[in-house]
Amino acid sequence: MGSSLRDKMWSPLIVFLVVGLATAENAWKPGYEYKYQIKGRTLAALHQVADKYVGVVSRATLTLQPQSSNAVLARISDAQFSPVQASLPGGWASRIPEKELNYKSLPLSSKPFQIKFKNGVVDELVVSKDLSNPEVNLIKSVVSQLQVDTHGENEIKWHRGSQAPKRPSESVFRAMEDTVTGKCEVMYDISPLPMYATQVNPELAPMPELRGDGILMDIAKTKNFSNCDKRVAYHYGITGLTDWEPADNEMGHFFSRSGVSRIVISGSLKEYTIQSSVTVNKVILSPALYNAQKGMVVSRMNVTLISRRSSSGSPPSVPNPQRVKDLVYDYNDPFPSERSSSSAKSPAKGNKSSESESQSSSSSENDSSDSQSNSQESGSSSSDSSESVERPGHKRQIPKRFRRSAPQQKNKNASSGSSSSSSENDSSDSVSNGEDSSSSESSSESQNSSNDSSSSNSSESNSSSSSRSSSSSSSCSSGSSSSDSESSSSESNDSDSNCSDSSSSSSSSSSESGSVSSASSSSSSSSSSSEEHNPKPGMNKAPKIPLLPYFIGYEGNAIPTSKDIEPVSAVKKLCSQIASELQHPSTIPQKSTLSKFAIVVRLVRTMNAEQLQKAVSQIYAPIKSSGENPWTVLRDALAAAGTGPCLTTIKDLIKSRKIATEEAAEIFATLAASARTPTAEFLKALFALATSPEVTKQPLLNSTAILSFANLARKAQVNNVTAHNLYPVHAFGRLSPINPKAVAEEYIPYMAKHLRAAVKDGDSHKIQVYIRALGNLGHPKILSVFEPYLEGKEPMSTFQRTLMVTSLNKLAKVFPQVARRVLFNVYQNLGESHEVRCAAVLVLMRTAPPAFMLQRMAEFTNRDPSLQVTAVVKSAIQSAAALQGPHHHEFKMNAKAAANLLNPKPLGIHYSRQYLQSYMVKEMGLAYRRELSWIGSSDGLLPSSAFISTRYNVGGWKSQNMALAMMTSSFNDLVDAVSDQFEDSDSSNSGKHGSKSGKKSSGSGSGSHSPFTTEKIAEMLNIEPSDDEQVEGNLLVRYMGTSRFFTFDNTTIENLPALLKSAASALRSGHKFNYNKLYNQFALTLAFPTETGLPFVYSIKKPTYISLRGEVQAKSHPDMASGSRDSIRVPETINSTASLQFVYSTRMTAKISFVAPLTHTRYIAGVQKNIQVNVPIKATFDLDAENSEASVTLQPLYNNREAQIFHYSTIPYTAKHNILDLTPVSQGSNFKPIHVREPMQMETTVGKDSTGFAFRVKYATEQKYLDYQYLYEKAQRHDAMSLILYPWAERTIKYNNINVVFDPQRSNSKSVTFTASYDDNSDDSQSSHSSSDSDESDSASNESRAHSGKSNSGKSAGSSSSSMANPSTSKPVSEKRQQEFLRRASSGIKNASASVLDLAVEFNGNKNIAYVATAAYASSEVDETSRALFYFYKSPTYGNSKPYEVCAAAKGVYPNVPLMNIAKALRANPTSYVSSEISFGEKCGSGAAQISISAKGEQSQERKEYIRRSPMAQKCMSLMQSGSYLQPACRNITARANFLDSYSVNIQYEKLPAAFKNFTYKAYSVARYLGYPYLDENTINVHNKEGKITVDIDFEPDLKAANVSLTAPSFEADFDLVRVGQWARPLAVQHPSWNAADRFLTYALHAQWTASCGLDRDSVSTFDNKTYPIHLGKCWHVMMTSQPEDDDSSSSSSNDDLTAEVTVLVRDASSHEKEVKVILGDDVFDLKPSGSSSSKKSSESGDADGVVYFNQKQRSVSYRKINNVTDSDGEMLAFWYALPSGAIIFEAPQHEIAIMYNGEAAWLEAGSTYRGDVLGLCGTYDSEPATDFTSPKSCILEQPKMFAASWAVPDQTCQGEAKEWQRRAASAPCFNQTFTPHDVITEEDANSGYSSRSSKSSRSSNAQSGRSSSSSSNSGCTQHRTKIIEQGTQTCFSMRPQPTCANNCRATGKVEKSVDVHCIANSSASRHFVEMVKKGANPDFSRKEVSKTIKISVPQGCTSN
């Protein structure tokens, strides 16, 4: 029955559809008058927050009187409106209470207008010229409800290739339809409406009787805003990283838009009456982009029939008529006074024309004068009617700038008799390579297909039958067809070429998604589907921006046209207000100061150059050191506004030097970053300014200007995605032509020319700036500039080439395919330096390489000779495989496919690294991507270059938040160069600066009589000196919305003394400063018309204020301003005072709104969020470097004034705002905050009792819950980085207000002083050894110190009572307490080294409050005991009258264990003990709380057995049998052999306060919660002893997990198999000989913290862990020596650096023993085996395995004390002692070397100072094992024996075969480690994106001349098209478009080239791509796999026939 009923319902409809195929008439019958009631409402709300709405409702009457079957006369009367701001619990559509309504007359003309139909569809309107633009748009919104395409006039075909019927044969179809919201795809759904439905909803069909014999039909229309032929929108701020199309149906998670209409008609499809029509348009979005709670603007337009009656008489005519050709919203002319004299008074309307109403010869009624300028009247079309005159100010039509989806186009044949016509082919902006390369390459093939189907018109289409106009042709090279009309060329999908060849007319074509009707005339015309654009902005007039409030807010005009607003006066007034309010920072949030700044910026955008000049002349004043200055406000507003007039004004300011140097640099950078409409003219003007003498001669400004310009040029002209997304292309068309000539023929040649000149002059600063500027352009042609340098044809330093590679990062984003090939070639070049190769990998990963490339790189890590490159590839692939989020999915999977191929060898973090990390915040639209990378250095642990960048992802809107990069040629050299600029004030008393005083001898004064010195050995071996490159570097930082680039080199560093002396001189008398900066952190604007004709406007911006002002005065002794001009004296004392006020204030304002131009009102639902930090302080800083003491005193800047220190607030609201009222919305009378519940409030005062400073904290929030659970849930959603990036982000929108205010009236303290003091016992030690020339003096001094320690402590060495930490005084920073702690800590410890740190905080006022903390630590190299003391004291406070003390003493016993012999290590007992006593309370003594802790760490048998059986131990045991103790296997396993894996801790306590017990139980509760999966707890039947806790920790033998047992009086707990992280392991597991820092750094750097070189019986293991066999014989060999520096070296300290005077020699003493000679300048130490004939054991040597000689005199060796020698200044030259195992430890602290020697082997450790600067048997110490066999000639030998012989010292004592092998080594092949050139940039890559290819030689010539090789005369002939090659069952397509000649052009020659192709089996897919290519599209195959390489012929060049 149901089926039968449906059949009965559908049968009549099918009949009507079939009947409708034959005829088509409109909806009304002539002779009748129809009246409709119009009801509209537009509301804004945060509807998911609260039911508060604001908006407007309207009503009117529409009268229709049909004139003919295709024309209806209409009139709107009784138009009224009422503003609404009320609660609507029933939602937006609910009835609004009458009390909330106050209807007023709407200023809408009631003059009649005519509606013309074509086949039942509204074709055009005829309206009176007297109507304003807003009135016409309101009429369009009403008539849009009558747009019913029942006949499928504009139907879009469902299937490709099928013919569209004249009328649909089904009830569901798609059509391209124009309404007030644009010309977009509409889905029609027609169904019968049962009569019973009208009984329930009679308003659907108020007059059903008009159906006659027909039926009621329900027509549903759904708009697809993602597919529009005419997109009406304004947007700004959608970055190229963001994959959004403005005003689409959806924009990420942030925005969605819908339009749904319901129309009920009665009758048949042939003759029907519209009963009702209602359209609902919703825009729903997150106010702050990410919020879970949304806001919306909803508009509804309802037209309902209320009567029909017969009409009499002829209908009136339209007075003063003009034709409007469609229903699409018209852009306005905001400045009618700027029109030409030929213009009429009425506003311009871009789609109104003056064509006659008669048909043209081609039966087209479209305007044919679209190419005329907007100031001329059309005269190209025939006009037979005197009533139809074109509207003045008519805009030219500009070919449509489509989004990336496929355009819809339908070709309609012209009527017979017309000449051959051409319909314009729609062009697209489908560009695959955006600012986010990873996302650009992850689209599917179907997406590529869709994109390519919308590509630009093809000149190769075989189906083309249309003619071309010569004036409309264009190419990639030219970019536009003519100067006054924009090319219809789109940006190609090919990420390599990034351009396309097109013309303003195209062949007939169809797309899969359908087509749009396009009538044509005999003349060259544009399709009616072209977007209408406002004229491009100029340099002197304000831009004609549509839709925005300040440009349409005054009856459709800009608000400055109102008599109530004089812009210059208004700006002046606002700037004065802002400047005044900024003087009182506490009031900034309350007075909405930052919103006022935003108003100034918006107002400045509406001003022309003349007005701005006038404003500047009235406001400008030099910046003063204090006081308000309105000029700084206007200055920053000019930069933030970013218009052409602003640029003109700033240019004049710079040229007149009203702003200069750093101030001008900031303004220039801000202007370039905030440019709103960067047209070609704008960019040329900016370039002219950047290259003008006024700019290039100013430091800081010159580099900032060219770099900022290059960044903007890339965004606006090179990167088509950014050019489309960021700038308002739907309002103005493409602002700059595609691939303009200026980039390739002007900007790049200019930079290339200056780069060559800088290289010639050796100007490092300019070299770096122009490299970075070229890189910022991101254009492929920069490769031809970089090529000669990267390929070694032109000289350039390694650092500069590294910078060149890193500068390709922008190219990698815009053209990932091009950059990928070049970077991969650089990476593959093994002859390149590791810095350049690593840089190539870092940038390469930004291109998201395919899997096969990553696999190749991963596999090569197993044989890459460079560990630096291996490390960076490994870390990059591993981190990429762990990326999160859908945007990185393909890249992640590619990396995962390669990860298992990586080299498994672990490498230290000092090697190069790249860490890619992404994170998505749970349940919030927030994410980030972070890149942290560095390039390791060959001469230090710290990297030579480091990079960090973080990218926001807020609701899908992506932007780079922070970027910081520092690059140096060598960080160590930089530090040395800076150090060289300083001199000690008193070198005789210098400690750590003693090396500056020159060479030092020992205290004996005799020096060495040895024939060996470092210099003599270098001469004997002819060691080649190092060629040091100059120090170069740069710092790139992104802050305050701009990027800044600072460079430095030797010259910069050498100028430091002059700069610092000048600063010191200025600071002596006091220096005042006043830095203020107002800027926008980000801005996003989106606007388009709603269904009611009122523009929707969304904006979010974040105006920010940063201020630092005050005065600083500083004095030093000795005076830094005095002394030598070439150096800076290091001061011993510094005394400075400062008055500072730092303010950071920001306001995020998000507005969801719409504008009513006729009533100049903006209706807003929004959120504002304020954050402010205000720190007004006076500070005094005192530094006493000689006594190691520093103090800082702080006090409030204003003693009697309250200061708001911190403010945070979130306020959701609704508002009605008068646009002409230039005050912030929040200060308007109709601003209503939204409250969802009564806020929780809290107010308290903190700090008063504990510090004497009173801070009032006031907190109000509407959060439902505010507890630990809330904080925990927030923490759970974030990781550490996202919490830092988004600390204030909330899922929900609620009112919050937090204020922290300093209250001076309630504060008792006036200031606070922080003091730190450090001391140690080194001075006492040094004075006692000032002349240690004999063993006796050594012994006496050491024994004296030990005895002194005992007598002062009063305790035995075994004591660790807390009373030791109870000082005699609690005075802050007491020297007496420090000396007590030093003595007590070292008590009983032999040769103790002790240090103490004393900290104090004093609050000074009516009652001084002091907090004191003192800590001391003592240990010894020869004593197993160490001790730590800690004391804390708090004086009585205002809240507590009692003092408080904590005393703690701890003693540890850590045995010295063997480190050179695994067998001895396993036999040793490493058990360690720690005991401590803690006392706290009012006094540390009797009556105080006591805690005693005793702990023991030992090694379990399981651990010993695990070590013994490990493969590494077995290997070591095998090696030891042959005398090899120090090979890597033995060194590593010996180090692991004595880790302690079992710990027991006993804690006894008494008199603990309840609060402390409660705190410890809470701590245990947290541990129990975190360790719940591992926990086994017993709380039943526990009878443990009170006052005692036992903790046992047992690690698993592999140390990867631990078992923890806890026994307490009331419970027992076991945590089983708790995992121990790899980074926590070195901190958790103890070792007797190494402290926690040593263990952690050794693990992190993989034993490279202090790298060691081991030499045993017959092998050497180098610093870089390369092992090789060796036989020394009786001949000295150089184990390590400092590489001499070139005499021409610029380093002034080369002769003073003690590390340059070190040589270590080694030779065989016997078949199994070694002798070591250590040369330290003029002093020589010999380490000989104890059994040698020349050595005698001293009485104290015990079981030592060797003896020590100093300058040929034997010295004693003891394991009970340290023996040492000092130099002439009393500095420790060297010391030595024996370990219990017999090995000798020898250290030279000044020279940073240490040797462990046991008579048979030597283990040499060298500090990082030596990295990359030593040679010898131990290698080069540069982290690269491949270079270890470097001979004295600085070349690399292959055979170990040759290499070892090359370092034999050829003196008279040399015996054996060493000399013979040395002779052979001299003639053996030896390879220099030099840069090997390689062809890394191919011809194809260098010419990517160009219309012609040139040879390698011509490119070199072009690089010299700086000109492009393209011929401008034939630029339109050469095009690029995807090549099709048919091969059997496959069809192959070139991966990239190839050159071809356009029609009417011929090839000048042919050349063969090999191209990569992607092949597809013959199928529908391959045929689809073939059709696309034939129609002119270039499918994007760049992301496909290369199937093969094929040779093809391509034209050498093209020329016109």
Side-chain angles (χ1 to χ4, degrees), residues 435 668-669 671-675 678 683 686 703-719 722-723 726-727 747 751 772-778 807 809-811 813-814 960 1036-1038 1041-1045:
E435 290 285 354
F668 196 108
L671 173 69
S674 59
L683 284 162
L686 192 68
S703 57
T704 300
I706 195 67
L707 293 168
S708 300
F709 162 77
N711 263 326
L712 180 59
R714 183 190 73 256
K715 294 176 184 177
Q717 295 188 322
V718 178
N719 188 336
T722 302
L726 185 59
Y727 303 113
Y747 306 152
M751 297 175 191
R772 176 57 69 179
L774 285 161
N776 283 354
L777 281 173
S807 295
N809 60 336
K810 305 298 184 184
L811 182 71
K813 291 180 180 179
V814 185
Q960 191 172 47
L1036 175 67
V1037 57
R1038 180 181 175 84
T1042 63
S1043 294
R1044 301 295 303 278
F1045 187 68

Side-chain angles (χ1 to χ4, degrees), residues 506-524:
S506 70
S507 63
S508 182
S509 64
S510 64
S511 69
E512 182 176 3
S513 57
S515 57
V516 181
S517 174
S518 174
S520 59
S521 64
S522 59
S523 62
S524 176

